[in-house]
Amino acid sequence: SGQEKLAAIKRNANLFRAGLEKIGLQVIGSPDSPVIPALLFNPAKIPAFSRECFRRKLAVVVVGYPATPLLKARIRFCVSAAHTEEDLKSALRVIEIVSKQCLIQYKR
């Protein structure tokens, strides 16, 4: 059971990370990690991104100064073994819409 959960976390993390990168977000952090940070850079985008995701029924964790350097504001996504592939794809659809709206697609 433990090995299966670890494999599921790794699979989910890599699927979600790849989806974020495909959307165009600047993803940082360690591959395979279930905590996946994506940079917002501009502190003014923190409340906008969070609010627009929440309005679409997706709760996200945003982090800014003083927890991060001023221009390294970020979103921290946390995936688990309990997330289904559809859960992750649904979240990615919301994130894609909101990232376009907030102009945070820095990579393509």
Side-chain angles (χ1 to χ4, degrees), residues 23-80:
I23 289 169
L25 278 93
Q26 179 71 45
V27 180
I28 59 174
S30 301
D32 300 335
S33 173
V35 179
I36 306 164
L39 294 173
L40 291 169
F41 294 107
N42 184 337
K45 295 184 183 208
I46 295 170
F49 190 87
S50 177
R51 185 175 43 251
E52 288 303 315
C53 283
F54 188 72
R55 195 168 71 79
R56 290 169 174 83
K57 310 231 183 300
L58 179 67
V60 297
V61 176
V62 288
V63 184
Y65 182 83
T68 67
L70 186 60
L71 298 177
K72 296 274 179 129
R74 64 196 65 187
I75 319 144
R76 289 185 63 207
F77 301 102
C78 301
V79 299
S80 76

